[in-house]
Amino acid sequence: MAAINYLEEDGATLQEVAERYGYTAGWLSRWLDRLERLADEPFEEVVYDEHRSGRPSKLSDKEHEQFVEALHKSPEEVGLDAPAWSVPLLVTISPRNSTLSTVSVTFDD
């Protein structure tokens, strides 16, 4: 939306439009470049980033699956006193966190 807004708004700067949407001018510039590529490249290649390997997960496949299952429940359902998930709450149920015994989520190694 920011890229479309920039293209349609006469006189607006990249910085102004990007800030309106909570992004940087560099981010908006990269999306404008992507939109230009749509004329010659398939949609999927333009809008989706290529897979980046990154650091290997510290969780086993089973731990990851159990973590995701826990996230599909409310914090109250896994024994936490909170109305919604937040990053600090996610840390408390992480399989690699030493405080797991305080909540009802368990992860098998």
Side-chain angles (χ1 to χ4, degrees):
M1 288 305 303
I4 292 168
N5 186 257
Y6 173 75
L7 293 171
E8 292 181 350
E9 189 174 335
D10 291 332
T13 67
L14 277 172
Q15 186 71 34
E16 291 169 342
V17 175
E19 286 178 0
R20 189 178 312 149
Y21 286 88
Y23 298 105
T24 64
W27 175 90
L28 179 52
S29 177
R30 285 188 295 280
W31 271 101
L32 290 168
D33 291 343
R34 285 182 178 208
L35 288 177
E36 287 180 18
R37 291 173 37 208
L38 282 173
D40 303 317
E41 299 177 45
F43 177 82
E44 291 80 13
E45 290 181 23
V46 173
V47 299
Y48 295 109
D49 289 332
E50 291 182 21
H51 174 73
R52 295 180 218 140
S53 61
R55 181 177 63 180
S57 176
K58 292 182 179 182
L59 303 179
S60 69
D61 289 342
K62 186 172 183 173
E63 287 172 330
H64 181 265
E65 181 180 314
Q66 291 171 322
F67 185 70
V68 171
E69 284 178 24
L71 294 180
H72 283 91
K73 300 175 184 177
S74 70
E76 291 94 351
E77 289 177 292
V78 296
L80 299 169
D81 185 24
W85 289 112
S86 65
V87 172
L89 234 69
L90 294 176
V91 171
T92 66
I93 69 160
S94 168
R96 299 296 180 194
N97 188 311
S98 62
T99 62
L100 280 177
S101 62
T102 63
V103 297
S104 64
V105 178
T106 57
F107 297 90
D108 302 322
D109 281 355

